[in-house]
Amino acid sequence: MENSRTALVTGASRGLGAAIAAELAATGIRVAVNYLQNQGAAVRLCDAIRQAGGEALPFQADVRDEAEVARLVAEVTAALGPIDILVPNATGVQPFLSIEEQTWAAYLDQLEFFVKSPLLLLKQVLPGMKARRFGRIVNIGSEVVELGNPRFANYVAAKAAQLGLTRSWALELAATGITVNLVAPGWIPTERHATATPAEMAAYTAGVPMKRMGTPEDVAKMVAFLAGPGASFITGQKFAVNGANTLA
């Protein structure tokens, strides 16, 4: 399927990011697969996308660093064309900490990924999107904003801030042809959760009305829809992909 658009997915060498990159590529979008350290996984993903008939290239950068983000966007643009679709998906370690254990640095660690990085990325791609009067920003949030998980305020607060900026950006950019939305997954098992026990997964699933956990592909299909032509009149919205675990 032919498509003239280019997407940048950050943190895409594994997990949700890899599924999102593969799904976007399956719709014909050229995909820049960003990674920080796992070059091998990024290269293998791009190889798999090409073998399936898609187009993808790997790009290394720390998307928390302003100079590296500028370099990343320049490299992607030179190799694949101007970025039309931005999916800030990169994340880091997400420790559970009691209030007594929490520090301001623990909050800043999460804000670096969910507020600073999306801002740095958007500022780099925004001039071109405005000039072309087209852009799709799809932030990857979390159901934790509604659940308020205890011992996790460092992460919950950053994800809440991410939702806030999504809504503010959407209104500011609404007249420019650029949409900004957020996909909020539930607990989607990926490589990140390799240490989770069957009992922990069963306890979570028991509370989900659909009585199952989602898959990375479930999230990826929602992202692909929001990046596609069918979502041109949708902006400023949060879409939960969690089997009705939250209804807000």
Side-chain angles (χ1 to χ4, degrees):
M1 181 178 179
E2 293 185 359
N3 192 310
S4 62
R5 304 297 184 189
T6 297
L8 168 60
V9 184
T10 68
S13 64
R14 65 176 190 167
L16 294 182
I20 291 166
E23 185 66 28
L24 290 173
T27 71
I29 294 169
R30 297 183 294 271
V31 180
V33 173
N34 161 252
Y35 68 96
L36 177 59
Q37 296 177 320
N38 200 339
Q39 181 183 25
V43 169
R44 287 191 294 273
L45 173 61
C46 291
D47 287 345
I49 287 172
R50 286 193 292 270
Q51 289 171 7
E55 185 175 355
L57 290 172
F59 296 88
Q60 190 280 332
D62 183 342
V63 292
R64 298 165 295 178
D65 182 273
E66 188 169 1
E68 292 206 24
V69 167
R71 172 182 60 79
L72 170 65
V73 171
E75 290 178 352
V76 172
T77 301
L80 296 174
I83 296 168
D84 304 292
I85 300 157
L86 175 64
V87 185
N89 170 76
T91 186
V93 177
Q94 302 160 3
F96 283 90
L97 301 167
S98 68
I99 295 171
E100 290 83 358
E101 294 170 319
Q102 289 170 14
T103 63
W104 179 230
Y107 285 73
L108 288 176
D109 285 346
Q110 303 305 316
L111 290 166
E112 288 263 322
F113 282 106
F114 306 131
V115 177
K116 180 183 179 182
S117 178
L119 174 63
L120 295 178
L121 290 159
L122 179 60
K123 285 173 69 70
Q124 286 294 321
V125 302
L126 187 57
M129 287 183 174
K130 281 187 171 181
R132 296 187 300 278
R133 295 195 60 79
F134 180 91
R136 298 287 182 266
I137 315 299
V138 186
N139 288 316
I140 306 301
S142 173
E143 68 178 4
V144 299
V145 176
E146 281 69 47
L147 296 177
N149 306 53
R151 301 182 66 251
F152 213 27
N154 45 316
Y155 181 78
V156 174
K159 284 297 188 182
Q162 182 188 38
L163 177 59
L165 66 82
T166 297
R167 290 170 171 166
S168 181
W169 290 353
L171 288 178
E172 182 172 343
L173 298 173
T176 68
I178 300 167
T179 66
V180 189
N181 291 291
L182 181 144
V183 175
W187 183 0
I188 308 292
T190 66
E191 298 93 330
R192 171 181 296 280
H193 307 111
T195 60
T197 67
E200 288 171 332
M201 290 188 174
Y204 174 84
T205 304
V208 176
M210 293 188 74
K211 301 304 178 187
R212 69 174 180 88
M213 299 182 96
T215 68
E217 290 71 28
D218 290 326
V219 178
K221 289 184 183 299
M222 186 74 249
V223 173
F225 168 72
L226 293 171
S232 63
F233 199 54
I234 300 172
T235 194
Q237 304 305 307
K238 173 181 70 69
F239 295 88
V241 181
N242 65 357
N245 202 39
T246 59
L247 297 177

